Amino acid sequence: MTSHFYEPANGHGLAHNPFKAIVGPRPIGWISSRDSQGQLNLAPYSFFNAFADTPPIIGFASAGYKDSVRNIEQTGEFCWHLATRTLGEAMNQSAATVEPSVDEFDLASLTPAASKVVGVPHVQEAQVVFECRLSQCLRLTSAAGEAMDNWLVLGEVVGVHIDTALIDDGVYQTAAARPILRGGGPGDYFEISDEARFEMRRPS
Ligand SMILES: Cc1cc2nc3c(=O)[nH]c(=O)nc-3n(C[C@H](O)[C@H](O)[C@H](O)COP(=O)(O)O)c2cc1C
């Protein structure tokens, strides 16, 4: 194998930065939040994942101190939505760079629905929703200890909504909702399918 090696601090030497294309496909953290005045906000974050399951903790990272981070620090609450093929366009519209006073639910023609545990409304059209309480908001640092303008928001999942159409015999069907995942170039997404599924058990 011939390897293309680079040190990111000195540039990647390729036509396009491969970093995000390599760490992919990534699930999308489609996040609703509200500021202390009650202004609603919705935005996607693909630096997103789950980090613990008991209690369940999810997190997303913001490049810059964006509205979602500020809102969640103000209220301590947010909701996460599964971004699916049918909601893809709406999810993308909610990424528009707009003034904090603009409600991305309106922008993307989505319906805010009251949540059960937290005060932040969620997207009614989403088939899976996590209601979350902020557990930590961390400002990232480089290996040299320099503060970066990147923020990791972690939240405990305190309420879960699942469309029962996605549950078969008590088992949640991962591919059935057609989740969309980010990867590849700037506009590239991936879907998953049951045909692509394979099984591999852990060694005992
Ligand atoms: C699929 C997708 C993934 C994104 N992932 C991120 C991300 O991980 N971090 C980030 O800072 N911005 C990300 N963005 C851009 C934000 O969604 C965008 O800056 C948005 O306006 C932020 O909204 P807010 O200021 O209301 O929080 C992403 C956009 C899209 C369409």
Side-chain angles (χ1 to χ4, degrees):
M1 182 182 77
T2 324
S3 154
H4 174 81
F5 174 78
Y6 68 96
E7 297 180 53
N10 302 326
H12 48 72
L14 297 173
H16 298 285
N17 188 344
F19 178 70
K20 290 209 265 183
I22 293 169
V23 187
R26 298 182 303 285
I28 296 168
W30 196 18
I31 307 293
S32 65
S33 62
R34 221 166 45 170
D35 70 16
S36 52
Q37 308 302 311
Q39 175 66 49
L40 202 49
N41 191 82
L42 183 67
Y45 287 84
S46 75
F47 282 141
F48 165 80
N49 224 305
F51 296 99
D53 60 1
T54 318
I57 300 283
I58 60 167
F60 70 92
S62 176
Y65 196 79
K66 295 185 179 174
D67 294 345
S68 301
V69 184
R70 190 204 57 224
N71 292 351
I72 295 166
E73 282 220 291
Q74 283 179 7
T75 65
E77 297 179 337
F78 64 97
C79 291
W80 170 89
H81 310 83
L82 185 70
T84 52
R85 190 71 185 89
T86 49
L87 291 175
E89 288 294 331
M91 178 280 296
N92 197 32
Q93 281 168 18
S94 73
T97 307
V98 289
E99 293 297 310
S101 59
V102 175
D103 175 347
E104 289 93 354
F105 278 77
D106 280 347
L107 202 69
S109 305
L110 294 165
T111 320
S115 296
K116 286 188 185 293
V117 183
V118 302
V120 178
H122 61 268
V123 174
Q124 184 173 289
E125 291 82 355
Q127 284 180 284
V128 186
V129 177
F130 293 162
E131 299 186 21
C132 303
R133 285 209 182 100
L134 174 67
S135 53
Q136 287 168 283
C137 180
L138 305 171
R139 183 169 191 177
L140 301 186
T141 59
S142 68
E146 290 151 350
M148 296 163 54
D149 191 17
N150 296 73
W151 306 81
L152 175 62
V153 176
L154 295 162
E156 178 178 339
V157 180
V158 293
V160 177
H161 306 246
I162 305 171
D163 181 343
T164 51
L166 302 176
I167 302 172
D168 188 11
D169 252 353
V171 180
Y172 176 76
Q173 301 296 310
T174 303
R178 299 181 65 196
I180 54 172
L181 308 150
R182 275 285 289 126
D188 292 339
Y189 289 84
F190 288 86
E191 273 198 68
I192 58 167
S193 69
D194 250 334
E195 291 71 57
R197 180 172 60 85
F198 67 97
E199 205 175 303
M200 183 161 51
R201 302 275 170 161
R202 285 187 196 183
S204 48

